[in-house]
Amino acid sequence: MDPAIAVRFTRRYADFALDLDLTLPGRGVTALFGPSGSGKTTTLRVIAGLERAQHARIEVNGELWQDDASGTFIPVHQRRVGYVFQEASLFDHLDVAANLDYARRRANTDGAPGVQCDRLIELFGLGPLLVRKPASLSGGERQRVAIARAVLSHPRLLLFDEPLAALDHPRRGEILALLQVLHAELDVPSLYVSHSADEVARLADHLVLLDAGRVVASGRLHETLARIDLPGRFSGNASTVVDACITAIDDGDHLTTLAFPGGSLFVPRGSGAIGERVRCRIDARDVSITLSPPASSSILNSVRASIVGVADTDHPAQCLVRLDAGGSALLARITRRSWQQLGLHNGMPVWAQVKAIALLE
């Protein structure tokens, strides 16, 4: 049986109720995404045991942490959760080395392999910081220490509550790259809360969309992002993720060529090398539809596709069109007038022009 995380509970407040019943993959990164107040942080706190909920049952890869029906409740310190908050919660009276050592000494390894302390210090660039106190660190440095400390506790589950929200763009990009490496090396499931579509697209394997305390959608990242039946507040920022391979680099024009099942795409030059596998996020608002390959256009990317669906959006003049480009899903946000004037319909072969792409290396 595949490992799984089962979460079922109800948490009621005076003006809000969070009611969840989810079965999530027991490996990889699951992102919780949704507007403020949808219940993302509360979900993490209930799973960690920091808040009590009603009618709860929480099971993590075979370990029962809470079951109200049988009266089971494993306390926080026994749940083996690594929790990374928006603001790094380090021990101010200890230097970085002592903060890390605290987690290492409290870890219960059960003989299972984990990331070694020396490797984490190297990966997160913590060597020069070991003798410093948290008060002397920048926000990005503190968060790097907090993540390394969470991993050193040898958790059964990692919880990230908007860990990059307080950082500037360059620091956010640096830590995202580190989290990707960590994800590849560490066989520990993670639940990751974020308001950033780029963070979710870059890190997640599985996606849960929350709104007003309810699950709107849950599934594999690529499939869930490509759905066109979601509420307006999600379709308003619709995008898809394409897995691709770098096939060429043009340093003169500062462009990288990507190959994906639907063809090839030009993207702004990044740090990737030829042959490297990458993800790119394509916003629906940056995709247009033509009936024939454009002869003269400033838009470099044009790929064959077919229409597989259309849905309403949050704007009455627009619609969301789902396209199949060689097995890769694309979304196009176009006007209803364009849909009618072009005579578009399901199953119709078209060309998708992609204006701009966010490359998620």
Side-chain angles (χ1 to χ4, degrees):
M1 182 179 296
D2 290 336
I5 300 169
V7 179
R8 185 182 70 241
F9 67 84
T10 299
R11 183 73 169 92
R12 299 193 181 280
Y13 302 90
D15 56 351
F16 175 75
L18 177 59
D19 193 357
L20 294 190
D21 190 350
L22 284 167
T23 299
L24 305 172
R27 55 170 57 95
V29 178
T30 294
L32 305 183
F33 188 77
S36 297
S38 59
K40 304 183 297 299
T41 293
T42 301
T43 298
L44 295 193
R45 292 180 60 82
V46 170
I47 292 172
L50 296 171
E51 288 193 31
R52 295 295 294 258
Q54 299 79 43
H55 314 297
R57 181 180 173 84
I58 299 170
E59 186 173 352
V60 178
N61 290 342
E63 287 188 2
L64 186 62
W65 287 359
Q66 185 171 351
D67 181 25
D68 287 358
S70 64
T72 300
F73 183 85
I74 303 301
V76 179
H77 67 280
Q78 294 180 5
R79 293 196 181 194
R80 290 179 59 187
V81 167
Y83 206 134
V84 181
F85 299 87
Q86 181 172 330
E87 295 291 341
S89 300
L90 303 177
F91 296 120
D92 291 334
H93 64 292
L94 300 178
D95 61 21
V96 168
N99 267 278
L100 298 178
D101 190 56
Y102 175 85
R104 184 186 58 78
R105 287 187 289 106
R106 291 177 58 88
N108 178 5
T109 64
D110 292 341
V115 179
Q116 297 299 312
C117 185
D118 289 347
R119 170 58 180 152
L120 284 170
I121 290 173
E122 174 192 9
L123 176 62
F124 285 89
L126 303 182
L129 310 180
L130 292 176
V131 297
R132 294 169 57 183
K133 295 287 186 67
S136 71
L137 303 178
S138 68
E141 290 170 339
R142 286 195 298 271
Q143 207 62 316
R144 278 155 44 201
V145 175
I147 295 169
R149 190 180 67 171
V151 174
L152 277 177
S153 69
H154 210 280
R156 294 297 303 272
L157 179 65
L158 279 165
L159 304 177
F160 294 90
D161 190 4
E162 298 196 71
L164 310 183
L167 305 181
D168 59 26
H169 185 73
R171 303 294 85 73
R172 189 179 300 129
E174 291 172 4
I175 296 182
L176 266 176
L178 295 174
L179 288 173
Q180 285 182 285
V181 175
L182 190 64
H183 174 33
E185 295 188 9
L186 187 65
D187 189 24
V188 176
S190 301
L191 301 185
Y192 190 95
V193 166
S194 177
H195 280 96
S196 167
D198 273 350
E199 286 179 35
V200 169
R202 188 163 171 174
L203 292 174
D205 306 297
H206 191 93
L207 178 61
V208 176
L209 300 178
L210 292 176
D211 190 20
R214 297 292 186 273
V215 176
V216 174
S218 177
R220 292 175 59 84
L221 174 76
H222 295 60
E223 298 164 2
T224 306
L225 283 177
R227 286 179 54 173
I228 59 175
D229 61 337
L230 301 175
R233 69 170 69 203
F234 294 103
S235 66
N237 296 307
S239 63
T240 54
V241 169
V242 171
D243 292 320
C245 178
I246 297 177
T247 57
I249 296 172
D250 187 332
D251 289 324
D253 288 335
H254 302 283
L255 292 174
T256 294
T257 304
L258 306 180
F260 79 112
S264 61
L265 299 167
F266 292 104
V267 301
R269 175 76 171 96
S271 60
I274 292 177
E276 185 176 340
R277 301 292 303 181
V278 295
R279 281 182 177 182
C280 57
R281 184 170 65 87
I282 303 176
D283 287 334
R285 64 175 178 266
D286 290 331
V287 179
S288 61
I289 297 174
T290 66
L291 301 184
S292 58
S296 301
S297 174
S298 64
I299 300 176
L300 294 177
N301 298 312
S302 183
V303 298
R304 291 180 179 271
S306 60
I307 297 175
V308 294
V310 62
D312 294 334
T313 71
D314 56 339
H315 194 292
Q318 299 175 345
C319 59
L320 193 63
V321 182
R322 176 166 171 158
L323 305 166
D324 183 337
S328 295
L330 300 176
L331 297 177
R333 188 179 177 94
I334 66 173
T335 65
R336 292 192 170 278
R337 176 171 294 185
S338 295
W339 173 271
Q340 294 163 0
Q341 287 185 344
L342 292 175
L344 303 179
H345 57 81
N346 284 345
M348 185 176 186
V350 295
W351 289 80
Q353 291 193 109
V354 183
K355 182 177 181 181
I357 291 178
L359 176 60
L360 311 170
E361 296 181 290

